[in-house]
């Protein structure tokens, strides 16, 4: 990953390209009690796909400016958010959320592609898996970010599980990382035990600007939860702001 990545001391690792830089994949069984450190990583030009249900991956997408590095960043919005705008019918809400998603992605230099599911009804089934595999085969990303499935939001659960199913398809070749959420009671990750970190300090301003583009969701009421989480994750690896992911 771009910028600075944290690893556990003493771990051997294989390097895979993605998200504006390189990600090292820790070896299983490494001592959990050993200290963490952040170190820089180079920036190769590889595509990234973020399966989006929430704002948890925003800073990781921005960190290292992957678009400026020649990468294509695609945010796949899994549902239309039809039930998420007070006072608007599903069609109006879907249009509002689509506009906001495009506006937010433009701040990050990313593109948006809709998956097409209805808010609250994303299913983990053969049809959904097949559709996601087809989309990922066309986009051919080297790295995919998806919500951690142990989440209180049903669409976050489904998004993560669909990504996991697609990851097991031998026709695809990408590295899968999960991100966490923290906007209780609407969305919260459980038992999220990070394997990797990104130093997102330089990306925080853009992450906040992008989040505020989702005006219908009242971001001023919950953005502080994510900025606090970034400070906590940064404290774990001795940087100002961190993004934790799980491989």
């Amino acid at each position: 990953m771009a910028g600075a990545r944290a690893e556990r001391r003493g771990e051997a690792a294989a390097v895979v390209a993605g998200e504006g830089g390189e990600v090292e994949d820790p070896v299983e069984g490494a001592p959990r009690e050993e200290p963490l450190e952040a170190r820089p990583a180079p920036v190769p030009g590889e595509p990234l796909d973020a399966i989006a249900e929430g704002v948890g991956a925003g800073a990781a997408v921005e960190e290292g400016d992957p678009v400026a590095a020649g990468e294509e960043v695609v945010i796949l919005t899994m549902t239309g958010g039809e039930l998420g705008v007070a006072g608007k019918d599903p069609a109006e809400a879907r249009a509002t959320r689509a506009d906001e998603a495009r506006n937010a992605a433009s701040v990050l230099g990313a593109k948006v592609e809709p998956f097409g599911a209805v808010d609250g009804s994303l299913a983990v089934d053969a049809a959904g898996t097949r559709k996601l595999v087809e989309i990922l085969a066309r986009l051919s990303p080297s790295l995919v970010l998806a919500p951690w499935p142990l989440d209180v939001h049903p669409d976050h659960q489904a998004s993560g599980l669909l990504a996991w199913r697609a990851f097991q398809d031998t026709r695809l070749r990408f590295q899968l990382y999960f991100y966490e959420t923290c906007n209780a009671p609407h969305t919260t990750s459980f038992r999220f035990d990070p394997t990797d970190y990104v130093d997102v300090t330089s990306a925080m301003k853009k992450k906040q600007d992008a989040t505020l583009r989702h005006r219908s969701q009242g971001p001023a009421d919950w953005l502080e939860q994510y900025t606090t989480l970034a400070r906590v994750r940064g404290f774990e690896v001795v940087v100002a702001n961190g993004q934790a992911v799980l491989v």
Side-chain angles (χ1 to χ4, degrees), residues 7-12 26-36:
E7 66 175 0
R8 305 185 194 280
R9 292 183 189 270
E11 291 181 351
V27 172
E28 291 186 6
R32 296 302 301 266
E33 69 276 6
E34 296 190 26
L36 300 166

Side-chain angles (χ1 to χ4, degrees), residues 2 9 20 23-25 42 44 71 74 82 84 103 107 124 128 132 147 155 188 191 196-197 213 216 224:
R9 292 183 189 270
V23 180
E24 291 184 343
D25 185 9
E71 300 183 27
V74 179
E82 293 86 350
N103 290 336
V107 174
V124 183
L132 181 57
D155 289 336
T188 302
R191 298 192 178 186
D196 295 80
Y197 295 76
R213 299 297 180 97
S216 69
E224 181 60 27

Side-chain angles (χ1 to χ4, degrees), residues 227-247:
T227 57
T228 300
L229 178 62
R231 290 193 294 269
V232 170
R233 292 307 190 188
F235 178 80
E236 293 174 355
V237 289
V238 198
V239 296
N241 294 277
Q243 174 95 44
V245 292
L246 191 159
V247 65

